[in-house]
Amino acid sequence: LLNADANKVKRFVTSDLALTIPTGLSLSVGDRIWLRNAAAAGTLTVASPGVTLNGSLPTFTPHVEVMLRAVGPDEFDVVRLAA
């Protein structure tokens, strides 16, 4: 993820991808990033070493989407959205 991803949907269309949420993103409190697995098959794996996620990430099977809301430096609330 990048700072430029703030308030955008990151749509992943290739199966079995891995995504890392890096530390040190310059996001404002309240900024959101949506992650959506739009692949027809497979899963999206998300790692967050050094980042606090308030809530658990679901298994990113096809058409699962979550929102990450920045609540502080390197800290996000996880909001699950219906598939």
Side-chain angles (χ1 to χ4, degrees), residues 58-72:
T59 301
F60 276 93
T61 54
H63 309 295
V64 169
E65 183 172 344
V66 299
M67 179 183 67
L68 302 176
R69 181 177 27 236
V71 295

Side-chain angles (χ1 to χ4, degrees), residues 33-59:
I33 299 174
W34 288 265
L35 304 176
R36 178 169 181 80
N37 182 5
T43 59
L44 171 66
T45 303
V46 179
S48 58
V51 173
T52 300
L53 296 178
N54 301 315
S56 59
L57 290 169
T59 301

Side-chain angles (χ1 to χ4, degrees), residues 27-33 68-72 75-77:
L27 301 177
S28 297
V29 170
D31 279 352
R32 296 165 174 85
I33 299 174
L68 302 176
R69 181 177 27 236
V71 295
E75 183 177 3
F76 295 89
D77 283 348

